[in-house]
């Protein structure tokens, strides 16, 4: 009996995926629930397990795009699991018996080729390309048999420093993953289909530094996670979204949808590229709740376990280029959302405090927004509200000096 291997649906609105890589070979015996293939969608890479045990037959190669529900192979469940010891001994014996014949053929093959062409010579097609480029065939290293210069060698060959001769320089060409191709299309569409503008401001991070220095040990001991910057920024954003609900809106056809909740997308760098999981109903979470959710989602991204559902439905995005050393940048809106907040690195800078120059840890922040939805007053006001909350977290995010421990659940 054969069981068809069908492409599962990775989530809503996803109709096509790409065969990223087969984790088994054609003809292998696979166990039930063993991961056999990785599928790339425009959201994430997902591993697909075998539904039954048996011999697998692969019908779609790596790199091909397939539709949801399409059959990409079969598993013969009636096939018995092969005995490892008996098969291995047979496989080892056969090459030994055939070895003398293969060696004899290997000795004859080069001699025959050498009579046909000399080492380093170019094929007619390759020579034509080299002549058009003005490159001497002697300067090109051939990859064909006996050093023969192939057409591909000639295409890759480049003249050195603009002269008429030069050796080929190494390069690598490979097809972009489905995730990267879809991301590229989305980014271009944002630039072409939105009226994107960016407003900037700066934040004095000293109040947050002081709070973290005072409470971080107790916080970690109580909740098992660190008291990071992301909880402060997330709660400052949810507060500002209540004050400026237009920023928490998106266009749907001719309609404008404004959300009463804040599902905050956070950009996380993983092995498959940048992922944007969502913190659901962040306005209802405490500092500990945000930090635990950030850690949970980041771990799932880095271990390749994040799902499409965990990355859809966000209403606003926060991205932190500061972890890579970015001083200032213009973040690109995550469609169909209307705005994104960019965090950057923290640098000690001289600032005027009460008429005196002091050195403070300063972060530049940027808000990119769709001007079709958000006017200048809302965008600037929103970013100022975020700045105010971050520079006065005890009063605006925690409810006053006397309830800091309560806000941190200590």
């Amino acid at each position: 009996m054969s069981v068809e291997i069908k492409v599962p649906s990775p989530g809503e609105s996803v109709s096509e995926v790409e065969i990223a890589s087969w984790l088994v070979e054609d003809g292998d015996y696979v166990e039930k629930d063993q991961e056999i293939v990785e599928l790339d969608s425009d959201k994430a890479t997902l591993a697909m397990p075998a539904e039954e045990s048996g011999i697998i037959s692969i019908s779609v190669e790596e790199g091909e795009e397939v539709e949801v529900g399409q059959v990409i192979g079969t598993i013969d469940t009636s096939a018995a699991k092969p005995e490892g010891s008996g098969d291995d001994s047979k496989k080892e014996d056969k090459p030994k018996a055939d070895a003398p014949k293969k060696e004899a053929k290997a000795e004859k093959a080069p001699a025959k080729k050498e009579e046909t062409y000399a080492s380093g010579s170019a094929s007619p097609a390759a020579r034509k390309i080299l002549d058009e480029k003005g490159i001497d065939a002697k300067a090109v290293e051939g990859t064909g048999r006996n050093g023969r210069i192939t057409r591909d060698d000639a295409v890759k060959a480049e003249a050195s420093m603009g002269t008429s001769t030069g050796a080929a320089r190494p390069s690598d060409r490979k097809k972009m993953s489905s995730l990267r191709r879809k991301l590229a299309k989305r980014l271009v569409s944002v630039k072409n289909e939105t009226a994107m503008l960016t407003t900037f401001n700066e934040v004095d991070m000293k109040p947050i530094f002081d709070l973290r220095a005072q409470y971080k040990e107790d916080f970690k001991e109580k909740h098992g996670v660190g008291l990071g910057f992301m909880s402060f920024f997330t709660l400052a954003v949810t507060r500002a979204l209540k004050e400026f609900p237009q920023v928490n809106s998106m266009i749907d056809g001719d309609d404008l949808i404004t959300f009463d909740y804040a599902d905050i997308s956070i950009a996380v760098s993983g092995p498959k590229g940048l992922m944007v999981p969502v913190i659901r109903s962040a306005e209802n979470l405490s500092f500990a709740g945000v930090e635990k959710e950030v850690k949970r989602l980041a771990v799932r991204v880095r271990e390749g376990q994040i799902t499409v559902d965990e990355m859809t439905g966000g209403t606003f995005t926060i991205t932190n280029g500061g972890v890579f050393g970015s001083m200032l940048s213009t973040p690109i809106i995550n469609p169909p959302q209307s705005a994104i907040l960019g965090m950057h690195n923290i640098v000690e800078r001289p600032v005027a405090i009460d008429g005196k120059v002091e050195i403070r840890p300063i972060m530049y922040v940027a808000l990119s927004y769709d001007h079709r939805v958000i006017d200048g007053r809302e965008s600037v006001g929103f970013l100022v509200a975020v700045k105010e909350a971050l520079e006065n977290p005890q009063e605006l995010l925690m409810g006053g000096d006397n309830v800091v421990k309560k806000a941190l659940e200590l």
Side-chain angles (χ1 to χ4, degrees), residues 117 120-130 137 148-152 154:
Y117 56 83
S121 63
S123 67
R127 182 167 295 281
K128 181 180 179 182
I129 294 172
L130 292 176
R148 178 80 158 172
I149 300 173
T150 65
R151 184 182 184 280
D152 190 49

mmCIF file of all heavy atoms in Angstrom, residues 117 120-130 137 148-152 154:
data_model
loop_
_atom_site.group_PDB
_atom_site.id
_atom_site.type_symbol
_atom_site.label_atom_id
_atom_site.label_comp_id
_atom_site.label_asym_id
_atom_site.label_seq_id
_atom_site.Cartn_x
_atom_site.Cartn_y
_atom_site.Cartn_z
ATOM 1 N N TYR A 117 41.978 16.545 -27.381
ATOM 2 C CA TYR A 117 42.299 17.963 -27.187
ATOM 3 C C TYR A 117 43.342 18.101 -26.093
ATOM 4 O O TYR A 117 43.499 17.238 -25.247
ATOM 5 C CB TYR A 117 41.041 18.779 -26.827
ATOM 6 C CG TYR A 117 40.299 18.287 -25.640
ATOM 7 C CD1 TYR A 117 40.692 18.635 -24.351
ATOM 8 C CD2 TYR A 117 39.182 17.475 -25.796
ATOM 9 C CE1 TYR A 117 40.007 18.183 -23.249
ATOM 10 C CE2 TYR A 117 38.492 17.011 -24.689
ATOM 11 C CZ TYR A 117 38.908 17.374 -23.410
ATOM 12 O OH TYR A 117 38.216 16.923 -22.336
ATOM 13 N N GLY A 120 43.713 22.594 -21.100
ATOM 14 C CA GLY A 120 43.599 24.051 -21.130
ATOM 15 C C GLY A 120 43.010 24.589 -22.412
ATOM 16 O O GLY A 120 42.839 25.803 -22.553
ATOM 17 N N SER A 121 42.651 23.727 -23.342
ATOM 18 C CA SER A 121 42.042 24.206 -24.587
ATOM 19 C C SER A 121 40.576 24.541 -24.344
ATOM 20 O O SER A 121 39.966 24.067 -23.395
ATOM 21 C CB SER A 121 42.157 23.138 -25.679
ATOM 22 O OG SER A 121 41.429 21.982 -25.306
ATOM 23 N N ALA A 122 40.022 25.385 -25.196
ATOM 24 C CA ALA A 122 38.641 25.829 -25.034
ATOM 25 C C ALA A 122 37.751 25.187 -26.078
ATOM 26 O O ALA A 122 38.156 24.968 -27.222
ATOM 27 C CB ALA A 122 38.562 27.349 -25.154
ATOM 28 N N SER A 123 36.531 24.892 -25.671
ATOM 29 C CA SER A 123 35.552 24.388 -26.625
ATOM 30 C C SER A 123 35.203 25.509 -27.600
ATOM 31 O O SER A 123 35.428 26.696 -27.313
ATOM 32 C CB SER A 123 34.298 23.927 -25.886
ATOM 33 O OG SER A 123 33.636 25.047 -25.306
ATOM 34 N N PRO A 124 34.646 25.200 -28.755
ATOM 35 C CA PRO A 124 34.302 26.251 -29.724
ATOM 36 C C PRO A 124 33.399 27.328 -29.137
ATOM 37 O O PRO A 124 33.612 28.523 -29.360
ATOM 38 C CB PRO A 124 33.593 25.468 -30.834
ATOM 39 C CG PRO A 124 34.180 24.095 -30.758
ATOM 40 C CD PRO A 124 34.425 23.846 -29.316
ATOM 41 N N ALA A 125 32.386 26.907 -28.375
ATOM 42 C CA ALA A 125 31.475 27.890 -27.783
ATOM 43 C C ALA A 125 32.200 28.763 -26.776
ATOM 44 O O ALA A 125 31.982 29.982 -26.701
ATOM 45 C CB ALA A 125 30.307 27.179 -27.117
ATOM 46 N N ALA A 126 33.091 28.125 -25.978
ATOM 47 C CA ALA A 126 33.834 28.889 -24.976
ATOM 48 C C ALA A 126 34.803 29.863 -25.642
ATOM 49 O O ALA A 126 34.947 31.012 -25.205
ATOM 50 C CB ALA A 126 34.588 27.932 -24.058
ATOM 51 N N ARG A 127 35.470 29.423 -26.715
ATOM 52 C CA ARG A 127 36.429 30.291 -27.400
ATOM 53 C C ARG A 127 35.742 31.517 -27.989
ATOM 54 O O ARG A 127 36.282 32.633 -27.941
ATOM 55 C CB ARG A 127 37.147 29.507 -28.499
ATOM 56 C CG ARG A 127 38.200 30.335 -29.247
ATOM 57 C CD ARG A 127 39.098 29.464 -30.078
ATOM 58 N NE ARG A 127 39.896 28.590 -29.246
ATOM 59 C CZ ARG A 127 40.998 28.996 -28.596
ATOM 60 N NH1 ARG A 127 41.369 30.254 -28.657
ATOM 61 N NH2 ARG A 127 41.683 28.140 -27.890
ATOM 62 N N LYS A 128 34.535 31.332 -28.509
ATOM 63 C CA LYS A 128 33.805 32.463 -29.075
ATOM 64 C C LYS A 128 33.500 33.502 -28.009
ATOM 65 O O LYS A 128 33.655 34.715 -28.233
ATOM 66 C CB LYS A 128 32.497 31.973 -29.716
ATOM 67 C CG LYS A 128 31.674 33.081 -30.351
ATOM 68 C CD LYS A 128 30.404 32.530 -30.961
ATOM 69 C CE LYS A 128 29.563 33.667 -31.577
ATOM 70 N NZ LYS A 128 28.292 33.162 -32.145
ATOM 71 N N ILE A 129 33.088 33.038 -26.831
ATOM 72 C CA ILE A 129 32.770 33.964 -25.727
ATOM 73 C C ILE A 129 34.030 34.675 -25.246
ATOM 74 O O ILE A 129 34.023 35.883 -25.009
ATOM 75 C CB ILE A 129 32.107 33.201 -24.569
ATOM 76 C CG1 ILE A 129 30.747 32.657 -25.005
ATOM 77 C CG2 ILE A 129 31.931 34.100 -23.343
ATOM 78 C CD1 ILE A 129 30.094 31.734 -23.986
ATOM 79 N N LEU A 130 35.152 33.926 -25.142
ATOM 80 C CA LEU A 130 36.400 34.531 -24.695
ATOM 81 C C LEU A 130 36.899 35.570 -25.691
ATOM 82 O O LEU A 130 37.412 36.633 -25.303
ATOM 83 C CB LEU A 130 37.462 33.444 -24.478
ATOM 84 C CG LEU A 130 37.212 32.476 -23.316
ATOM 85 C CD1 LEU A 130 38.286 31.397 -23.284
ATOM 86 C CD2 LEU A 130 37.179 33.218 -21.988
ATOM 87 N N ALA A 137 42.651 32.601 -23.592
ATOM 88 C CA ALA A 137 42.261 31.311 -23.025
ATOM 89 C C ALA A 137 43.306 30.796 -22.031
ATOM 90 O O ALA A 137 42.978 30.067 -21.098
ATOM 91 C CB ALA A 137 42.051 30.289 -24.135
ATOM 92 N N ARG A 148 39.759 21.195 -19.631
ATOM 93 C CA ARG A 148 39.054 21.773 -20.773
ATOM 94 C C ARG A 148 38.250 22.987 -20.322
ATOM 95 O O ARG A 148 37.565 22.957 -19.288
ATOM 96 C CB ARG A 148 38.103 20.718 -21.341
ATOM 97 C CG ARG A 148 37.251 21.163 -22.518
ATOM 98 C CD ARG A 148 38.007 21.124 -23.805
ATOM 99 N NE ARG A 148 37.104 21.052 -24.958
ATOM 100 C CZ ARG A 148 37.524 21.159 -26.192
ATOM 101 N NH1 ARG A 148 38.809 21.323 -26.446
ATOM 102 N NH2 ARG A 148 36.674 21.077 -27.199
ATOM 103 N N ILE A 149 38.315 24.105 -21.048
ATOM 104 C CA ILE A 149 37.561 25.317 -20.737
ATOM 105 C C ILE A 149 36.158 25.176 -21.317
ATOM 106 O O ILE A 149 35.983 25.087 -22.532
ATOM 107 C CB ILE A 149 38.249 26.564 -21.313
ATOM 108 C CG1 ILE A 149 39.654 26.707 -20.719
ATOM 109 C CG2 ILE A 149 37.421 27.823 -21.007
ATOM 110 C CD1 ILE A 149 40.469 27.809 -21.357
ATOM 111 N N THR A 150 35.176 25.138 -20.432
ATOM 112 C CA THR A 150 33.793 24.958 -20.867
ATOM 113 C C THR A 150 33.129 26.308 -21.138
ATOM 114 O O THR A 150 33.689 27.371 -20.831
ATOM 115 C CB THR A 150 32.989 24.225 -19.780
ATOM 116 O OG1 THR A 150 32.906 25.050 -18.617
ATOM 117 C CG2 THR A 150 33.656 22.903 -19.402
ATOM 118 N N ARG A 151 31.942 26.255 -21.709
ATOM 119 C CA ARG A 151 31.187 27.488 -21.969
ATOM 120 C C ARG A 151 30.912 28.242 -20.672
ATOM 121 O O ARG A 151 30.983 29.468 -20.615
ATOM 122 C CB ARG A 151 29.860 27.149 -22.658
ATOM 123 C CG ARG A 151 29.038 28.365 -23.061
ATOM 124 C CD ARG A 151 27.719 27.949 -23.706
ATOM 125 N NE ARG A 151 26.988 29.122 -24.166
ATOM 126 C CZ ARG A 151 26.265 29.914 -23.386
ATOM 127 N NH1 ARG A 151 26.196 29.661 -22.086
ATOM 128 N NH2 ARG A 151 25.635 30.958 -23.881
ATOM 129 N N ASP A 152 30.613 27.485 -19.592
ATOM 130 C CA ASP A 152 30.342 28.112 -18.300
ATOM 131 C C ASP A 152 31.583 28.820 -17.763
ATOM 132 O O ASP A 152 31.491 29.899 -17.174
ATOM 133 C CB ASP A 152 29.873 27.049 -17.308
ATOM 134 C CG ASP A 152 29.327 27.647 -16.018
ATOM 135 O OD1 ASP A 152 28.492 28.571 -16.118
ATOM 136 O OD2 ASP A 152 29.734 27.212 -14.939
ATOM 137 N N ALA A 154 33.884 30.193 -19.572
ATOM 138 C CA ALA A 154 34.045 31.407 -20.378
ATOM 139 C C ALA A 154 33.060 32.498 -19.959
ATOM 140 O O ALA A 154 33.399 33.681 -19.929
ATOM 141 C CB ALA A 154 33.860 31.072 -21.852
#
